Amino acid sequence: MTNLASQTCVPCTAGTPPMNADAVRAALAGLPLWTLSYDGRAILRRVEVKGFARAAQLANVAAWLGE
């Protein structure tokens, strides 16, 4: 299995089929703290912070990095 954390994401093209649940679980084995959503359509990572201000700061950093 390759180290997923060191790879970059390439957007899917139209018609690309989704990975099946077993393949996703196998790939997630290389990503600690990430889990598969209940419906199997997304991966999730829960982050907890103390207080609203810290949560707002974290959201702003995530938005800035996503830009």
Side-chain angles (χ1 to χ4, degrees):
M1 172 89 13
T2 60
N3 184 359
L4 292 177
S6 67
Q7 295 181 1
T8 58
C9 183
V10 178
C12 296
T13 58
T16 301
M19 294 172 67
N20 66 40
D22 291 335
V24 172
R25 285 187 186 91
L28 284 177
L31 296 173
L33 305 177
W34 288 86
T35 58
L36 186 60
S37 67
Y38 292 112
D39 64 1
R41 297 179 55 90
I43 59 173
L44 309 168
R45 182 171 176 180
R46 183 181 177 111
V47 177
E48 293 186 24
V49 295
K50 292 184 179 183
F52 179 79
R54 294 282 182 185
Q57 288 173 340
L58 181 59
N60 286 334
V61 167
W64 182 76
L65 290 173
E67 186 65 30

